[in-house]
């Protein structure tokens, strides 16, 4: 018989062991529930809810044939030509999906965009076959919107889907409900499950409107760019993590949908402008005290001034000092990259350009984290990955993408569109999806690109390019863009008299805009370099800022009343 004293000593150990086993059982059970829940989540979207769902396409009778054409909804979608409901016997049908880069902006209406070039190439390979490459891309669409288009497109019997998407994930202001609690509780399945149940019961899913989405819905983001405000996703790490999880879900769901329909889906990587597009918004790291800020400003100023006078070797040391003090300020990495590239060190420069992109507080280019997810999904799901970044780097100066392969921050030049289309062909051949075609046959599908002036398109392009460069703070380009704008508007008015009045109006507008932006960019530069107090009185700085704010109001947000506009922007906007 065990003495009472020994029994009393063993009770705490017994209860401790019992509680430990119970906790382990609860944790194990929660992990099993979590696996079941995750499997169920693959069949529905646990991140967002679509409202006002409307179709992108409809079946109509045209000239006695049942044809598929775009509906009046989805106004930001390229308007593809109608195609037969029934695929022609022996025909080849390809759908290209994504956002404006996939659409081939600004060449989407011509024959030098990705879809048109791919169709031309396939017809050269199969001259006796009916080939349709349908451009189903939609400007500014994030992956959650592209997913809806892809699921609808599968109804129309494609032989192949091409997905080129990833630049617009931060564009919409969705407020996610994080699926995991803050650290360190996120390590426990029981805590994760309890947190998810609580959030589900108290917080509705964020909604996105399918029917009524248009450029007007992006106004708040344009104002954020224009006034140097950070994205919610960059200020809240948990929101950014939720965004990454949502992107992964969308890509996996699209691959799964295509797989269930037994339609090959090619995933294209997204080239972005690294060397010729500075970060949209830079911000200092939290906790930078006044003494550190003073040292940072002095080092940053010394480095930037050295870059501006062409002393790239002399710029490196102070810029490295600035980055060491504050590694979060994106523009410091960009200037450091410039100094490294100009001194013949492209590999080091590229690494800094990538850091500048990653530190951008409101990026409008695909971030490396999304590219990693794309590659992981492709590898895990066996989906063909078409790397169009590498061949563009091969023809870019220094091996770093810039204006030599892109017309702005993400959109391909016509020659780059041809390279991308050719890489799609190479991927199809490697996967055995081009029967009867040999590797040597691909070379005869090369298409020579000749630049041509198209008044209506080119007027629109220079207008958009200047405006985007202005609100995205690409100030070093504005003078060149302004000269290009004047040249194009003048030539278009001469060659197409129907555009003359419009061109004259835009010229007058941009004369005012360019003067106001010129003053404002000088003020911002002085502030970043710690020279504002020497160069401007408080009244002068306020006057310049006010003129800029008023210009942004009438040029970009005239749909808002003055009161509504002032509620959305800071009283003294600064970058």
């Amino acid at each position: 018989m065990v003495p009472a004293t020994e029994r009393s000593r063993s009770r705490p150990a017994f209860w401790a062991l019992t509680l430990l086993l119970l906790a382990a059982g609860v944790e194990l059970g929660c992990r099993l529930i979590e696996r079941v829940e995750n499997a169920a989540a693959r069949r529905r979207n646990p991140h967002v809810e679509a409202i006002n769902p409307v179709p992108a396409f409809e079946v109509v009778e045209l000239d006695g044939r049942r044809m598929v054409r775009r509906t009046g909804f989805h106004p930001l979608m390229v308007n593809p030509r109608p195609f037969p409901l029934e695929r022609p016997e022996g025909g080849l049908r390809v759908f290209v999906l994504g956002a404006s880069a996939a659409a081939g902006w600004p060449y989407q209406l011509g024959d030098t965009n990705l879809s048109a070039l791919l169709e031309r190439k396939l017809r050269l390979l199969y001259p006796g076959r009916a080939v349709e490459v349908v451009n189903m891309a939609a400007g500014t669409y994030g992956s959650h919107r592209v997913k809806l288009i892809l699921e609808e497109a599968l109804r129309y019997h494609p032989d192949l889907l091409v997905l080129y998407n990833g630049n617009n994930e931060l564009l919409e202001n969705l407020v996610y409900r994080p699926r995991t609690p803050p650290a360190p509780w996120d390590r426990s399945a029981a805590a994760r499950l309890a947190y998810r149940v609580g959030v589900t019961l108290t917080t509705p899913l964020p909604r996105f409107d399918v029917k009524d989405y248009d450029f007007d819905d992006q106004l708040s983001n344009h104002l954020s760019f224009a006034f140097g405000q950070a994205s919610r996703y960059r200020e809240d790490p948990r929101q950014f993590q939720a965004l990454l999880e949502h992107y992964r879900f969308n890509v996996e769901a699209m691959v799964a949908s295509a797989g269930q329909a037994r339609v090959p889906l090619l995933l294209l990587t997204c080239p972005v402008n690294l060397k010729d597009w500075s970060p949209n918004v830079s911000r200092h790291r939290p906790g930078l005290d006044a003494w550190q800020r003073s040292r940072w400003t002095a080092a940053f100023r010394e480095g930037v001034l050295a870059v501006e006078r062409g002393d790239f070797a002399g710029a490196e040391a102070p810029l490295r000092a600035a980055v060491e003090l504050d590694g979060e300020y994106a523009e410091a990495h960009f200037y450091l990259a410039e100094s490294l590239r100009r001194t013949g060190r492209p590999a080091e420069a590229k690494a800094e350009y990538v850091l500048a992109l990653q530190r951008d507080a409101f990026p409008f280019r695909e971030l490396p984290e999304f590219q990693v997810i794309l590659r992981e999904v492709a590898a895990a799901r066996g989906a063909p990955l078409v790397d169009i970044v590498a061949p563009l780097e091969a023809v870019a100066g220094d091996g770093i993408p810039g204006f030599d392969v892109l017309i702005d921050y993400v959109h391909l030049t016509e020659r780059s569109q041809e390279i991308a289309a050719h890489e799609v062909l190479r991927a199809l051949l490697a996967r055995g999806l081009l029967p009867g075609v040999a590797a040597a046959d691909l070379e005869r599908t090369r298409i020579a690109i000749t630049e041509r002036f198209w008044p209506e398109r080119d007027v629109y392009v220079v207008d958009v390019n200047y405006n985007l460069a202005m609100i995205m703070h690409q100030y070093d380009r504005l003078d060149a863009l302004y000269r290009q704008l004047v040249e194009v508007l003048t030539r278009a008015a001469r060659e197409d008299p129907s555009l003359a009045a419009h061109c004259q109006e835009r010229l007058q507008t941009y004369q005012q805009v360019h003067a106001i932006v010129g003053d404002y960019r000088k003020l911002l530069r002085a502030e970043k370099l710690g020279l504002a107090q020497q160069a401007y009185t408080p009244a002068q700085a306020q006057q310049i800022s006010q003129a800029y704010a008023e210009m942004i109001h009438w040029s970009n947000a005239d749909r808002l009343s003055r009161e509504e506009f002032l509620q959305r922007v800071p009283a003294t906007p600064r970058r």
Side-chain angles (χ1 to χ4, degrees), residues 30-65:
C30 287
R31 287 182 183 272
L32 292 173
I33 293 172
E34 198 171 45
R35 293 188 66 176
V36 173
E37 184 198 30
N38 288 339
R42 296 190 190 102
R43 296 188 292 272
R44 57 177 174 77
N45 194 325
H47 304 280
V48 294
E49 178 185 359
I51 62 172
N52 293 328
V54 290
F57 297 94
E58 62 183 353
V59 178
V60 295
E61 197 82 17
L62 293 175
D63 299 325
R65 300 179 67 191

Side-chain angles (χ1 to χ4, degrees), residues 267-513:
L267 303 175
L268 270 61
T269 57
C270 288
V272 300
N273 191 331
L274 289 176
K275 69 184 177 193
D276 294 322
W277 198 271
S278 60
N280 292 340
V281 178
S282 295
R283 60 179 178 178
H284 289 287
R285 67 171 172 83
L288 195 69
D289 61 34
W291 180 76
Q292 292 170 324
R293 178 68 177 266
S294 176
R295 289 182 60 206
W296 179 91
T297 301
F300 183 72
R301 177 174 61 241
E302 183 182 350
V304 171
L305 292 176
V307 168
E308 290 180 347
R309 65 175 179 267
D311 181 11
F312 300 107
E316 181 182 351
L319 287 170
R320 285 198 183 279
V323 166
E324 186 175 346
L325 281 165
D326 183 0
E328 287 299 309
Y329 200 82
E331 212 169 349
H333 288 284
F334 185 81
Y335 277 110
L336 177 57
E338 281 288 280
S339 71
L340 294 169
R341 182 171 70 88
R342 298 299 189 95
T343 51
R345 294 144 74 186
E348 293 177 67
K350 185 178 179 183
E352 289 296 329
Y353 282 126
V354 171
L355 283 173
L357 170 60
Q358 288 180 302
R359 302 295 189 269
D360 194 336
F362 206 140
F364 211 34
R365 298 169 288 172
E366 185 185 59
L367 294 168
E369 291 91 336
F370 293 94
Q371 198 69 212
V372 168
I373 289 173
L374 187 77
R375 293 178 181 276
E376 288 177 348
V377 172
R381 301 284 179 142
L385 182 73
V386 185
D387 187 0
I388 63 174
V389 174
L392 292 180
E393 289 178 338
V395 299
D398 304 308
I400 304 171
F403 289 134
D404 35 21
V405 293
L406 297 148
I407 65 168
D408 51 26
Y409 51 103
V410 295
H411 299 106
L412 304 178
T413 65
E414 290 174 287
R415 290 185 175 87
S416 295
Q417 307 258 5
E418 202 279 338
I419 291 172
H422 205 76
E423 289 304 308
V424 171
L425 280 192
R426 282 164 38 85
L428 292 176
L429 184 66
R431 286 276 174 160
L433 297 174
L434 292 178
V437 174
D441 296 330
L442 296 190
E443 284 308 306
R444 63 184 176 84
T445 70
R446 293 285 188 184
I447 297 173
I449 302 295
T450 55
E451 295 182 3
R452 59 193 178 198
F453 185 73
W454 186 347
E456 187 174 0
R457 179 197 68 189
D458 291 353
V459 164
Y460 173 69
V461 170
V462 294
D463 198 336
V464 170
N465 277 346
Y466 184 98
N467 193 60
L468 283 177
M470 175 184 70
I471 66 174
M472 293 185 182
H473 307 283
Q474 305 303 305
Y475 293 136
D476 291 343
R477 298 185 56 218
L478 283 185
D479 288 339
L481 282 173
Y482 180 68
R483 290 192 295 271
Q484 182 186 24
L485 188 143
V486 171
E487 178 185 338
V488 169
L489 290 175
T490 303
R491 180 178 176 183
R494 184 174 63 249
E495 295 189 13
D496 187 348
S498 68
L499 295 175
H502 173 74
C503 290
Q504 185 59 38
E505 178 190 347
R506 300 310 292 162
L507 279 171
Q508 292 174 355
T509 297
Y510 275 109
Q511 285 176 352
Q512 300 177 57
V513 167

Side-chain angles (χ1 to χ4, degrees), residues 220-239:
S220 61
N221 285 330
H222 280 208
L223 295 179
S224 294
F225 294 150
F227 295 101
Q229 296 173 314
S231 164
R232 172 190 293 113
Y233 302 121
R234 304 305 274 162
E235 293 196 314
D236 185 342
R238 296 183 71 210
Q239 282 293 306

